[in-house]
Amino acid sequence: MIYKKQYGHPFDTESVVGSFSPMPETIPHLTKEPDGFSYTMDPQDILYGLGENIRGINKRGWLYESKCSDDPNHTESKSSLYGAYNFMIVSGKDTFGFFIDFPGKVTFDCGYTDLDTLRVTIAEENYDLYIIEGESLTDIVRQFRQLVGRSYIPPKWAFGNTQSRWSYMSADEVREVAANYRANHIPLDAVVLDIDYMERYKDFTVDAQRFPHFADFAAEMKAQGIRLVPIIDAGVKIEDGYPVYEEGLQNGYFCTNQDGTPFVAGVWPGRVHFPDMLNPQARAWFGDQYKFLLDQGIEGFWNDMNEPALFYSEETLKKTFAKIEEYSKQNLDISSFFAFTGMVAGLSNNENDYTLFYHNTKQGRVRHDKVHNLFGYNMTRAAGEAFDRLAPDKRILLYSRSACIGMHRYGGIWTGDNQSWWSHILLALHMMPSLNMCGFLYEGPDIGGFGSNTTEDLLLRWYGLGIFSPLLRNHSANGTRRQEPYRFKNKAAFAGILQLRYLLLPYLYSEYMKAALHDGMYCMPLAFAFPQDAFARQVEDEVMIGESLLIAPVYEQNARGRYVYLPEEMLQVRVKCAEGNRIETSVLPAGHHYIPVALTEVVFFVRKGHMLPLAKGGRDIQTVADVDFADLRLFAYAPNGAAYTYYTDDGEIKDYDNPAHFVHITLDAQGAAQSDRAAVKVEAAPAPLG
Ligand code: MIG
């Protein structure tokens, strides 16, 4: 059951597309406060939600703010990252979900001010409150997702391995990456192009010196099974003769100052205007620009800097220079000195700058800070809606940095500028189920870490988690150590671990699609799968991937293994990635276990009575196209047999609900395998996997 109550005159975020009932006279569960709501928590209550965020799966004990921020330091001390995800579930003595549909700042004080009080504060009394009641945690999630609409579905190749770097500087450098991957039998489906492929960082241009004959180059890479995925930044460079700038200006498609002139900010291209993503005409126009790259054979994009990130605004910069002149004539004392350095350091992503520009929306002219969290969402919507017009029969890969609930219908996200820190493996794990709840199924971190220098052991362990997230992308910042897997010593282990991903693809893709089509979770906390289990409710470093698989990655340096809690008897599967993915299996009882995991191994656990439909092949698989999704080996822990609903399609079509895509597979106690569709062949799996 979903109840809605409207307060004041909310801006319509278009996050909600489903149905609901009016709120009862007295709001259930929450207590109304002058500026929001409160809830008194029982010591055992758990708070789930808030999407991509810092800290744990259980959000208790910290203060979070929905305020999309370009902040590359994802430390525990922060309150906001790039997105705004105002959905939360309280689980305990009372279990319910709530969603605050509001595009400005919302604060979730989850027992920070008062250990036992959840306090939600909303910047204005203009918002919609939704309360969701259900039979279980998964039921609450399902209902919420019906409210906000079906999650984005990428093309199947987007489940392949992606290599990225800020930046591969030329076509030759990309060719070299591809050649090294192929030479080492490490599968690869995509290479990302970061900002340097553009001409002076101008969106929808390609630098003709560094990437000559771009369409031919894209075709050449695709012939090797590798797609190029270019970045698109939010700001449009101010430059006479640049058509995107000139058209935007002529049509009034840019965000404006109070006086109606276009607002000027500084980002990578230098001085830019921001396209007015909240203006439907401007959005359609910006989306149409992607055609420039689609026409050259590009099938995937990532949208960056769309909080929007702002290195400076022209107005604040001018004021700062004037102030510096003033300071230069003074004898600075220590407090004016710090005021001076603080002023300069505070130029980037300055909160005041977000109050300086305006949007022309269907609902009138609005100051940016009041709708701040909708910018990245609508940039991605611009692209997603354009793809439906420009390439209606094709799925286009799209992911964004900034997001808000609603954007999950148009694209996925990557989790921004993490660091090559061990703690960020665990953080990436925490983000997965939290994002899934909010509808963001297609997601993944920068594997190996974006900032700082990676190490080989970190990268191996990170892949131990990363091969289970839908977006599997290694990315790193300029100036950091190069971290393509073939640069390290254990090449065979990297090849094995990434081949393992491809062997798992029939299962992972099927689970992803079922989650998207049935408003489920591809990745869930143990508590969602085993709600009666008091230990499972506390587990913060293991998750379920689909219905059959429990993963417990190693995330500490020099650890030779880790403790794993199993809520029930499961099959332990040890994959020896450096030895052709040879496997060892053993049955473990429910309870706590110390599980040794060598650096070159991946260990996962299969639920009793469940199976994994796996691909055949091994070293021969270099791309998703090499995986035969219709010739499966069933890897099961099924002493009494098992059944599985297998979703399969060609990875491009959009008739998702066609029953022909759902195949019923069974395995009997004697290991005889059967599929109800002749087109999908099944057999029980022998070891080894590779
Ligand atoms: O200010 O395009 O999060 O992935 O490599 C940095 C350069 C801009 C931030 C993205 C990162 C990307 C980088 N971008």
Side-chain angles (χ1 to χ4, degrees):
M1 195 53 156
I2 304 187
Y3 301 111
K4 169 185 169 176
K5 185 172 166 74
Q6 187 167 96
Y7 293 90
H9 303 282
F11 184 89
D12 184 1
T13 62
E14 300 178 51
S15 296
V16 166
V17 294
S19 53
F20 44 79
S21 307
M23 189 78 72
E25 200 66 47
T26 20
I27 306 167
H29 315 289
L30 296 175
T31 306
K32 181 79 180 89
E33 303 284 350
D35 54 3
F37 300 91
S38 65
Y39 180 78
T40 305
M41 296 183 285
D42 190 74
Q44 307 305 323
D45 284 353
I46 296 178
L47 302 177
Y48 294 105
L50 304 184
E52 171 197 25
N53 231 312
I54 43 131
R55 299 198 176 219
I57 294 176
N58 183 352
K59 290 297 177 210
R60 262 187 99 147
W62 191 240
L63 186 142
Y64 301 86
E65 256 176 3
S66 286
K67 183 186 69 174
C68 298
S69 308
D70 165 26
D71 187 336
N73 296 304
H74 306 173
T75 56
E76 278 181 37
S77 54
K78 298 301 163 69
S79 288
S80 312
L81 293 177
Y82 309 92
Y85 307 87
N86 297 335
F87 174 52
M88 186 163 250
I89 295 182
V90 177
S91 163
K93 67 175 187 302
D94 192 7
T95 295
F96 62 97
F98 66 94
F99 172 52
I100 311 286
D101 190 6
F102 177 69
K105 197 198 282 185
V106 182
T107 304
F108 295 84
D109 180 335
C110 302
Y112 170 80
T113 303
D114 175 314
L115 194 64
D116 300 314
T117 306
L118 166 67
R119 186 77 171 73
V120 183
T121 309
I122 303 139
E124 281 171 47
E125 183 84 358
N126 293 311
Y127 57 86
D128 292 326
L129 167 71
Y130 294 86
I131 291 187
I132 303 115
E133 294 176 340
E135 283 165 14
S136 61
L137 293 164
T138 48
D139 182 43
I140 292 170
V141 168
R142 188 172 307 115
Q143 292 188 56
F144 173 65
R145 300 267 298 288
Q146 280 163 4
L147 182 73
V148 295
R150 180 178 284 181
S151 296
Y152 166 72
I153 295 176
K156 202 192 263 178
W157 63 264
F159 289 82
N161 180 33
T162 299
Q163 182 61 53
S164 181
R165 172 79 180 177
W166 176 16
S167 300
Y168 295 124
M169 295 302 291
S170 66
D172 279 342
E173 208 181 330
V174 174
R175 289 187 179 104
E176 193 187 311
V177 171
N180 277 310
Y181 260 97
R182 293 291 180 252
N184 288 290
H185 291 276
I186 310 175
L188 182 70
D189 270 89
V191 174
V192 161
L193 301 182
D194 207 323
I195 48 177
D196 295 284
Y197 80 89
M198 291 183 258
E199 188 188 293
R200 292 191 300 289
Y201 305 136
K202 289 182 328 197
D203 280 341
F204 314 112
T205 68
V206 174
D207 187 297
Q209 246 93 61
R210 285 180 272 125
F211 291 87
H213 312 294
F214 191 63
D216 295 344
F217 175 55
E220 172 195 328
M221 295 310 292
K222 196 171 167 186
Q224 297 180 41
I226 296 168
R227 262 88 167 181
L228 301 175
V229 180
I231 195 170
I232 304 294
D233 275 4
V236 168
K237 185 174 179 62
I238 299 175
E239 186 182 279
D240 287 336
Y242 168 37
V244 183
Y245 161 70
E246 291 190 338
E247 270 175 46
L249 197 64
Q250 270 153 26
N251 294 298
Y253 288 157
F254 295 128
C255 293
T256 48
N257 295 304
Q258 195 171 17
D259 69 5
T261 56
F263 172 76
V264 180
V267 209
W268 288 109
R271 294 168 74 251
V272 303
H273 294 318
F274 290 131
D276 190 349
M277 303 298 181
L278 301 189
N279 168 343
Q281 284 88 41
R283 193 161 63 227
W285 163 77
F286 191 78
D288 283 340
Q289 307 305 312
Y290 287 77
K291 187 171 189 299
F292 169 78
L293 290 158
L294 290 174
D295 285 349
Q296 300 185 68
I298 297 302
E299 298 168 55
F301 300 88
W302 53 312
N303 285 345
D304 190 20
M305 306 300 272
N306 50 4
E307 295 70 26
L310 219 151
F311 294 164
Y312 63 84
S313 73
E314 189 156 75
E315 189 173 331
T316 307
L317 190 66
K318 276 192 185 139
K319 284 190 184 145
T320 306
F321 285 145
K323 193 79 189 159
I324 289 174
E325 271 212 39
E326 231 175 79
Y327 279 133
S328 70
K329 297 184 189 106
Q330 291 169 20
N331 228 334
L332 295 188
D333 62 17
I334 214 64
S335 63
S336 48
F337 169 76
F338 284 122
F340 155 68
T341 56
M343 174 182 78
V344 174
L347 272 172
S348 292
N349 302 320
N350 179 304
E351 228 176 307
N352 185 57
D353 283 345
Y354 292 113
T355 67
L356 301 181
F357 61 101
Y358 292 78
H359 297 273
N360 272 322
T361 79
K362 272 200 289 204
Q363 302 159 68
R365 194 160 193 251
V366 193
R367 204 174 76 190
H368 174 79
D369 60 312
K370 303 202 173 275
V371 288
H372 174 67
N373 293 335
L374 299 180
F375 193 90
Y377 160 17
N378 282 282
M379 178 184 181
T380 297
R381 179 176 173 187
E385 288 177 340
F387 299 155
D388 284 341
R389 295 192 300 274
L390 301 170
D393 300 323
K394 197 166 176 176
R395 296 185 216 165
I396 303 291
L397 170 62
L398 180 61
Y399 51 90
S400 171
R401 190 171 71 177
S402 188
C404 179
I405 289 171
M407 198 199 88
H408 69 287
R409 301 194 297 268
Y410 304 97
I413 64 150
W414 96 99
T415 61
D417 301 343
N418 60 7
Q419 299 262 355
S420 298
W421 294 344
W422 289 86
S423 60
H424 278 184
I425 299 181
L426 186 58
L427 184 63
L429 179 120
H430 291 162
M431 288 175 175
M432 290 176 77
S434 311
L435 277 163
N436 270 223
M437 287 173 60
C438 299
F440 290 80
L441 300 179
Y442 191 77
E443 62 81 40
D446 285 350
I447 292 171
F450 175 75
S452 316
N453 293 324
T454 203
T455 55
E456 179 167 359
D457 54 343
L458 177 73
L459 188 59
L460 276 166
R461 292 302 197 196
W462 208 317
Y463 276 121
L465 168 65
I467 59 166
F468 297 102
S469 60
L471 170 62
L472 166 57
R473 187 182 88 146
N474 173 325
H475 180 51
S476 54
N478 58 358
T480 62
R481 181 181 187 178
R482 299 260 162 185
Q483 64 186 35
E484 295 82 8
Y486 53 76
R487 293 182 187 272
F488 298 96
K489 190 170 170 189
N490 284 292
K491 292 183 180 52
F494 283 109
I497 201 167
L498 284 157
Q499 286 159 9
L500 174 61
R501 156 67 163 220
Y502 285 67
L503 295 179
L504 286 163
L505 272 181
Y507 173 72
L508 298 180
Y509 182 70
S510 168
E511 289 300 310
Y512 183 94
M513 293 301 289
K514 287 189 291 178
L517 299 174
H518 303 147
D519 299 306
M521 289 167 79
Y522 164 86
C523 170
M524 59 173 83
L526 262 47
F528 284 49
F530 305 95
Q532 307 312 333
D533 184 316
F535 276 119
R537 277 173 61 78
Q538 297 173 52
V539 172
E540 289 263 333
D541 59 358
E542 305 170 22
V543 286
M544 299 300 299
I545 299 292
E547 64 172 55
S548 309
L549 201 60
L550 181 152
I551 61 164
V554 175
Y555 53 88
E556 280 176 343
Q557 188 156 34
N558 299 319
R560 294 179 184 181
R562 52 161 290 174
Y563 284 93
V564 174
Y565 176 69
L566 299 181
E568 61 185 22
E569 181 186 289
M570 291 192 192
L571 183 71
Q572 174 187 217
V573 183
R574 176 176 304 277
V575 186
K576 307 225 167 226
C577 299
E579 299 169 33
N581 288 340
R582 188 164 68 77
I583 58 167
E584 286 169 2
T585 61
S586 61
V587 173
L588 289 179
H592 296 274
H593 302 274
Y594 184 79
I595 306 290
V597 187
L599 201 52
T600 56
E601 291 177 342
V602 171
V603 174
F604 56 78
F605 304 87
V606 181
R607 285 188 78 170
K608 191 173 182 175
H610 288 262
M611 68 172 88
L612 305 172
L614 300 181
K616 292 181 176 171
R619 269 169 70 90
D620 307 336
I621 295 180
Q622 292 297 297
T623 66
V624 173
D626 295 335
V627 174
D628 188 344
F629 287 77
D631 187 9
L632 306 172
R633 294 184 306 173
L634 308 181
F635 188 85
Y637 175 37
N640 307 313
Y644 181 77
T645 302
Y646 177 61
Y647 178 94
T648 186
D649 64 19
D650 69 0
E652 291 277 350
I653 55 86
K654 293 182 173 175
D655 70 332
Y656 307 115
D657 302 301
N658 183 340
H661 301 315
F662 296 86
V663 184
H664 297 283
I665 294 175
T666 53
L667 204 59
D668 70 18
Q670 282 68 49
Q674 231 171 356
S675 139
D676 72 350
R677 240 167 255 284
V680 175
K681 286 190 285 173
V682 291
E683 66 186 52
L689 289 184

